[in-house]
Amino acid sequence: MTRLAIIDYGSGNVRSVQRALEAAANHFEIPLTVTLTDDPDRIRQADRIVLPGVGHFADCAAGLAARAGVAEALNEAVFRSRRPFLGVCVGMQLMADVGREDVETRGLGWIPGAVERLKPADPNLPVPHMGWNVLTDMKSHPVLNGLGPEPHVYFVHSYAMIPEIPGHVAARCDYGGKFVAAVARDNLFGTQFHPEKSQQAGQTVLANFLRWKP
């Protein structure tokens, strides 16, 4: 039985992420127990960890920092124990060194780079970028297996990560110019899109994460 911890730090979408993970586990017959937690000990004991996130980078960073011992437990679980980790939307953005949404805010520093505002080349394209779009430039990665050549996934965001190391980019998307839609490094994976809102493609991504053995 896989013990999965979803970090509960006031990000707003933990329940929908939980339901989607449980549905993916049920559909693909993956034994799973899910805990919503901000308990450092439970985080250390988990087999896999998911960090969701919606809203403002600085607010999410502050919410995470306000949970005593959580950032330290995440670092220990991810880097010392090498637990598979998935960051979703702002949860992915928090993996960067810094976010520049209104004010400059430190991230976790796991993926070198910064989170910057989207600047579509077409001024008629609204920001935030909301709705379905196609993943492109997908690298070969176990979490992206089985998606086909042009998977459609669901986005809601105004900012995107710009990694310093091109090899950390796992997929891109085009919205008046290409932006980073997924990142990967060792036992870390992050999606700018919302798997929990991306129907079959999202279920595949979540199931792949649950079975991933980095």
Side-chain angles (χ1 to χ4, degrees), residues 117-128 175-177:
R117 185 171 175 82
L118 291 173
K119 296 178 180 178
D122 182 350
N124 294 315
L125 289 175
V127 175
Y175 187 69

Side-chain angles (χ1 to χ4, degrees), residues 132-136 138 144 146-153 155 201 205:
W132 295 88
N133 210 330
V134 179
L135 294 182
T136 66
M138 289 188 296
L144 299 175
L147 292 180
E150 293 187 341
H152 285 70
V153 293
F155 292 89
V205 167

Side-chain angles (χ1 to χ4, degrees), residues 19-20 23 30 34 39 43 48 65 67 77 133 147 153 171 176 195-196 201:
R19 288 192 295 270
I30 302 168
V34 179
D39 183 331
I43 294 168
R48 295 171 187 272
R67 269 58 177 183
N133 210 330
L147 292 180
V153 293
E196 77 278 13

Side-chain angles (χ1 to χ4, degrees), residues 55-58 89-90 92-107 111-120 127-129 156-164 175 177-181 183 192:
H56 193 280
F57 185 102
C89 196
V90 180
M92 167 184 145
Q93 294 178 5
L94 288 171
M95 296 161 69
D97 290 324
V98 65
R100 297 196 174 107
E101 186 169 356
D102 297 331
V103 295
E104 187 162 294
T105 306
R106 298 300 303 174
I111 301 285
V115 176
E116 305 279 2
R117 185 171 175 82
L118 291 173
K119 296 178 180 178
V127 175
H129 169 216
V156 182
H157 66 121
S158 300
Y159 288 74
M161 189 191 297
I162 303 175
E164 292 180 3
Y175 187 69
K178 289 189 176 181
F179 66 86
V180 174
V183 294
Q192 181 61 66

Side-chain angles (χ1 to χ4, degrees), residues 137-210:
D137 306 324
M138 289 188 296
K139 70 188 299 183
S140 177
H141 192 284
V143 177
L144 299 175
N145 282 349
L147 292 180
E150 293 187 341
H152 285 70
V153 293
Y154 194 85
F155 292 89
V156 182
H157 66 121
S158 300
Y159 288 74
M161 189 191 297
I162 303 175
E164 292 180 3
I165 301 172
H168 289 161
V169 177
R172 298 184 187 275
C173 181
D174 195 318
Y175 187 69
K178 289 189 176 181
F179 66 86
V180 174
V183 294
R185 173 192 174 190
D186 304 325
N187 55 314
L188 308 173
F189 199 89
T191 65
Q192 181 61 66
F193 60 92
H194 286 272
E196 77 278 13
K197 297 180 180 181
S198 296
Q199 300 182 4
Q200 183 175 346
Q203 289 284 285
T204 299
V205 167
L206 294 177
N208 286 343
F209 171 72
L210 292 174

